[in-house]
Amino acid sequence: MRTLSILMLMTGALMAADNPAKEDSSKSDLDKLRGTWVSVSLVNDGKTIQDEKTPPKEGPVTKVAYEGTKWMIKVGDKTVFTGIFKIDSSKKPKEIDFMEESDTKGEKTKLGIYEIDGDTLRFCLAPAGKPRPTEFTSKAGSGYSLGVMKREKP
């Protein structure tokens, strides 16, 4: 009987370690992220850069596009940054890591948190080398960037 109990515990531990639900939820969020997003609001290090009262400056619109695990930032029709990202949607809050394509040593990796609600994406990112945010805030001196984006309609 004791051997059976140990075997059941080990099986449960193996199943938890190889949890396909975690992979499925991350894949689901990858599907939800796919597409082009336009910034609605942005607060950087406690300073409002853009919101309803502070519209973006005149000129080409900045957009972020996600495809699979790749991201790119476009200003108008020009791609200005590219890279890869990874998510862990099993964490609370959900985690996202951004790596620039030119960063082969991982020195510019930005750790963040995110949430997706329909066509709205909210995120909070730490500067490279700083710890991941634990809440959706950008206080002065934190260096965190807090943003809200809306999915671009085709």
Side-chain angles (χ1 to χ4, degrees), residues 82-118:
T82 61
I84 59 171
F85 69 97
K86 65 179 181 176
I87 59 174
D88 186 344
S89 59
S90 70
K91 300 284 176 101
K92 299 285 185 214
K94 296 177 180 183
E95 295 181 353
I96 190 163
D97 300 348
F98 286 97
M99 290 77 62
E100 287 184 31
E101 199 164 61
S102 63
D103 182 22
T104 57
K105 296 180 182 177
E107 295 171 345
K108 297 180 185 177
T109 298
K110 294 183 180 181
L111 306 177
I113 56 176
Y114 75 98
E115 65 182 14
I116 303 170
D117 183 13

Side-chain angles (χ1 to χ4, degrees), residues 14-94:
L14 286 172
M15 287 171 53
D18 185 29
N19 184 353
K22 176 181 170 184
E23 187 176 309
D24 287 347
S25 65
S26 290
K27 184 176 181 185
S28 175
D29 274 7
L30 282 176
D31 291 338
K32 291 176 186 176
L33 273 171
R34 183 179 296 124
T36 303
W37 299 79
V38 179
S39 183
V40 174
S41 68
L42 181 63
V43 178
N44 189 32
D45 199 27
K47 287 185 177 178
T48 300
I49 308 298
Q50 177 188 352
D51 66 6
E52 300 83 25
K53 298 175 190 152
T54 312
K57 294 182 172 123
E58 292 288 324
V61 176
T62 301
K63 301 176 182 180
V64 180
Y66 297 96
E67 183 62 44
T69 58
K70 294 184 179 185
W71 61 268
M72 70 178 80
I73 297 176
K74 292 182 171 188
V75 178
D77 292 333
K78 185 178 178 185
T79 300
V80 293
F81 289 107
T82 61
I84 59 171
F85 69 97
K86 65 179 181 176
I87 59 174
D88 186 344
S89 59
S90 70
K91 300 284 176 101
K92 299 285 185 214
K94 296 177 180 183

